Amino acid sequence: MIGPDRFARFTAEAAVPEQVPPYVCAVAGSKPRLVGSCVGYVSEESMVLVGYPLHDPLNIGAMADAVEQALKTPGLGRLTVIGPVRPPQAPASVRERRDEYFALTLPPSPSPKLRNLLRRAGRELTLDRGRVLLDDHMALAQRYLDERALEAGTRHIFRQMGNYLEASAGALVVSARRSDGKLAAFAIGEFGSLSTAFFMFCFRDPALAPPGSADLTLSELLEEAHERGQTRMNLGLGINDSIRFFKCKWGGTPFLPYVEVSWEPGSLSVFSKVRGMLWRKRS
């Protein structure tokens, strides 16, 4: 294990949200660990390795070295790796999940149509910045969970948002309220990194929120990032077509590839081991 100062360095230089230990530890209950030039999170006999090396998130050789080091962890029952490519040590039979992180250069340049949408929402809503989630925030998040078929892991993360805000000094809530005080939408951003801000969560009430409510909360997070001198907003993964459209509407573009693969090290084939050794020799 490494000291808090080294974990602070990961937060300060983070390019993806999973490199921010206060966030991951709060929502997953895991413990951070330095693995090569990457950060891993250990929970019982499992490890999630964030295979984006701190010095260069696209350094594939450094990622493979970190995976190799992780595989040597005593008692490791399952290893999950997220990174820019599939790790060479992963068994060929294991399926992978692919996506992309989207990012927006700061300050943004909204289109005329988007600016009009923001002005319209701004006439009906008042924004405020805070550090805690109130009952109406949690009720809105719960409504989102009730109305959608989501994976158990995603549901767990949403329910731990309050813990995340308590754990991370860089987290911020932007709330959009109507004139009667009712919550129309809210978003959470992470600002602990020196150059990259993170768009973490966003919720809107379809019955109360005027068009552009979610955009308005994002615009406030972008303003906060610009005020802090950050140059990029990581908008998160594409997830699906509607979420991808929302990010592209703001000018977000693919920033880093995302590949997730998980396996039990004991099932690693001889071929996969040899392939991993050949990869390291070429790097």
Side-chain angles (χ1 to χ4, degrees):
M1 305 296 282
I2 57 178
D5 57 327
R6 297 291 297 279
F7 291 133
R9 180 181 172 228
F10 267 93
T11 298
E13 300 184 32
V16 299
E18 291 83 0
Q19 288 175 314
V20 180
Y23 162 62
V24 179
C25 295
V27 301
S30 52
K31 301 294 183 182
R33 175 177 177 180
L34 182 64
V35 186
S37 55
C38 300
V39 63
Y41 299 93
V42 179
S43 178
E44 297 180 348
E45 297 180 353
S46 299
M47 178 189 293
V48 176
L49 178 68
V50 183
Y52 297 94
L54 195 61
H55 63 285
D56 178 3
L58 289 173
N59 189 319
I60 310 305
M63 182 206 73
D65 289 342
V67 173
E68 191 64 26
Q69 183 172 326
L71 288 169
K72 296 177 182 178
T73 302
L76 182 65
R78 174 165 290 274
L79 177 63
T80 300
V81 180
I82 66 171
V85 298
R86 182 187 181 97
Q89 297 93 338
S93 59
V94 175
R95 293 183 178 180
E96 62 189 35
R97 175 193 169 199
R98 289 184 173 269
D99 204 328
E100 294 174 304
Y101 291 102
F102 282 72
L104 178 62
T105 300
L106 301 177
S109 299
S111 67
K113 181 178 180 180
L114 182 52
R115 286 198 296 269
N116 288 335
L117 188 64
L118 292 171
R119 280 194 291 268
R120 176 182 174 184
R123 287 194 294 266
E124 300 185 43
L125 301 172
T126 299
L127 297 177
D128 66 74
R129 306 180 190 186
R131 289 271 305 131
V132 296
L133 294 179
L134 304 177
D135 289 344
D136 53 0
H137 292 101
M138 297 309 298
L140 183 52
Q142 185 59 51
R143 177 175 175 177
Y144 181 88
L145 293 175
D146 292 341
E147 294 176 349
R148 288 165 176 79
L150 301 171
E151 295 180 356
T154 301
R155 292 177 174 276
H156 177 78
I157 290 174
F158 287 163
R159 292 188 175 114
Q160 301 304 312
M161 290 187 301
N163 292 336
Y164 158 54
L165 285 164
E166 291 180 7
S168 176
L172 181 72
V173 184
V174 169
S175 304
R177 296 187 178 276
R178 303 194 324 172
S179 58
D180 58 6
K182 291 184 178 179
L183 183 66
F186 76 94
I188 299 177
E190 169 63 49
F191 301 93
S193 174
L194 295 177
S195 62
T196 303
F198 301 98
F199 184 42
M200 303 295 286
F201 303 98
C202 187
F203 301 89
R204 59 180 292 274
D205 188 332
L208 299 176
S213 298
D215 296 287
L216 193 64
T217 60
L218 173 56
S219 71
E220 189 75 358
L221 293 179
L222 292 169
E223 179 63 25
E224 175 73 22
H226 185 52
E227 290 173 1
R228 292 175 181 240
Q230 292 164 315
T231 58
R232 176 175 59 212
M233 173 73 81
N234 185 324
L235 297 171
L237 298 175
I239 307 296
N240 57 47
D241 289 343
S242 62
I243 292 176
R244 193 174 294 110
F245 173 81
F246 177 84
K247 296 172 182 181
C248 291
K249 176 178 65 175
W250 272 91
T253 56
F255 165 52
L256 284 173
Y258 174 98
V259 181
E260 177 183 332
V261 62
S262 182
W263 75 95
E264 297 176 4
S267 66
L268 189 64
S269 68
V270 174
F271 173 75
S272 295
K273 294 179 181 178
V274 172
R275 183 174 58 177
M277 289 188 290
L278 292 175
W279 182 285
R280 291 192 300 279
K281 288 181 178 180
R282 294 200 306 267
S283 302

